[in-house]
Every structure is written in C-alpha cells, then in structure tokens.
Amino acid sequence: MDGQVTAGQLIEVPTPDATGMDRRAFGEFVGPGGELASYAFGWVTGSDPHVGRLSLGFGAGNPGGGTFHAVVLDRNGGYAFALVDEPFERVPEGGPDLTAEQARAHPNLPFVWWVADQVMASDPRAWWMRHWLLLTPCIQTPEVFEKQEPVLLVSNDDDDELWQLIGPTDARDEGRIGHLSHAIDEDPTLIDVLDLEPGFKATRSAVGGPWTSHRAAT
C-alpha cells in the first residue's frame, strides 16, 4: 500500500547573479501505518552540476529521528539518489541533520528511499524537476515557441516519447525544438500533464482550464 503525499509550498527566487531560478518545493507524507515524514526538494536552473537536491526527515524530537540529504541524479533516462553531507533544507518532521555516513548506517534508510520514490511519483513539482534533470526535449509549433499562442494540446509520442506542444494553430509549419522544463517555466499550468503516458495526449480549451487526456489516434 502506498502512502499519501501532500504537496505544500513552492518557493521560487532568482539566483544571486540573476542567471537562473532557485526552486524549492515542500510537502508532507503519511504512510499506510500512520508514519509521518516531511520533505523538500529543489533545483537551480543553469546550475553546474546539473543535479536536484532532496531533504527528507522524520521522527522530530524522538530517538532515531533525523533528516537525510541527497542529490537527485540522471541515471540512464531515470533518476537515482546519492546521500550527501551538506544539508539542503530543514523540514518540520525532521530530526538532526545526518551526514552521508550516518544516513547509510541508519536502520530506517530503506523507509527513507521508499518515501522519496513516493514523492517523485506523486508530487507534480517532482515531475517538473525530473524533466529538468533529464533535459526532456519537446517540439513546439512556431506560435507557441514565440509565445504568440498558449499551449492547448500536449502529446507524448508513443514511438520516440517526444513531447509536442501545440496551440490553436495546427502544426503545419516546421516545429521548434526546446526543453519541456523551459515550457513549464513559461506556463506553470502545464505541470498538471507532466505524467502523461507515452501514446497519450491532453487537451484544454484555455489556459487554466481543465485538461482532458486520452490515447492518441494511431
């Protein structure tokens, strides 16, 4: 049985040199047995190295509680976690900050990784971070690319898993290639369809309107 992930605050601030955005998303987790944990993850656009960050904590005020810190890495088209010493964020349910060595020796580390996977699968901001991490490409109509039209149709092609972003004007001309995460930077409402499965498309009548998804015609 999976736990319940509740997304919380999203903080976005420009980097000190104004070359990117520092994004930090927060949330809470309740396990099937009532286990409580809280988390924060984030990424900085234009950063080097190109990694995400994660803090996950439980057991605040109790023996054995702690806050685990990790980087999130691109791993063969997926993601992987690697424990680090440097704290990322403080989280309400977290105990003391643990070093990577302390975290590896902690008996609850398997639980921490399980919660982290639940967060990556359930929090839409984590889908956004994952597409940023993987540099997911997308093809956009010229009107969408030039910000002349909103995105009303999103598709994830079944054959090559190339995402397409289309506005009111049909895709007649040659499209423009960009990164999916950059399109979300421009229109955060696209975050709601970032879990679109290959071979499916989603449509809406206007920005902010509800999405309807279904399998694309072959």
Side-chain angles (χ1 to χ4, degrees):
M1 181 183 296
D2 294 338
Q4 179 180 352
V5 173
T6 302
Q9 186 178 20
L10 173 66
I11 298 176
E12 301 178 280
V13 296
T15 56
D17 59 3
T19 60
M21 293 293 293
D22 185 338
R23 294 190 170 96
R24 300 181 181 226
F26 298 81
E28 304 294 327
F29 174 86
V30 181
E35 306 92 340
L36 300 178
S38 51
Y39 64 86
F41 61 83
W43 68 102
V44 180
T45 61
S47 63
D48 185 19
H50 190 77
V51 298
R53 300 289 303 274
L54 170 73
S55 295
L56 196 152
F58 67 91
N62 298 319
T67 301
F68 298 70
H69 304 282
V71 291
V72 189
L73 309 163
D74 174 3
R75 185 61 53 84
N76 299 323
Y79 68 87
F81 302 114
L83 293 165
V84 295
D85 295 330
E86 180 185 2
F88 172 56
E89 273 287 354
R90 299 191 63 84
V91 290
E93 293 294 338
D97 292 317
L98 303 178
T99 66
E101 182 178 1
Q102 291 171 329
R104 280 190 286 269
H106 200 287
N108 292 111
L109 183 59
F111 169 75
V112 169
W113 292 144
W114 179 70
V115 173
D117 284 334
Q118 295 288 311
V119 171
M120 292 294 289
S122 302
D123 191 321
R125 288 92 51 91
W127 309 340
W128 186 4
M129 181 175 73
R130 184 175 176 182
H131 284 297
W132 170 83
L133 187 66
L134 301 179
L135 298 175
T136 303
C138 69
I139 186 168
Q140 307 171 44
T141 60
E143 294 82 4
V144 167
F145 187 84
E146 298 294 338
K147 305 174 190 175
Q148 298 171 353
E149 293 184 354
V151 177
L152 301 183
L153 186 154
V154 176
S155 70
N156 185 2
D157 292 349
D158 198 15
D159 52 354
D160 55 9
E161 295 191 30
L162 180 66
W163 291 70
Q164 295 189 48
L165 307 181
I166 301 171
T169 301
D170 291 338
R172 300 188 183 93
D173 299 327
E174 183 176 349
R176 308 287 195 271
I177 295 293
H179 289 128
L180 184 58
S181 64
H182 292 164
I184 307 159
D185 294 345
E186 299 296 334
D187 181 2
T189 64
L190 297 176
I191 200 171
D192 294 327
V193 291
L194 292 184
D195 61 341
L196 199 63
E197 294 289 338
F200 281 75
K201 65 180 181 180
T203 59
R204 61 183 176 180
S205 59
V207 174
W211 290 97
T212 300
S213 61
H214 51 88
R215 180 171 289 279
T218 56

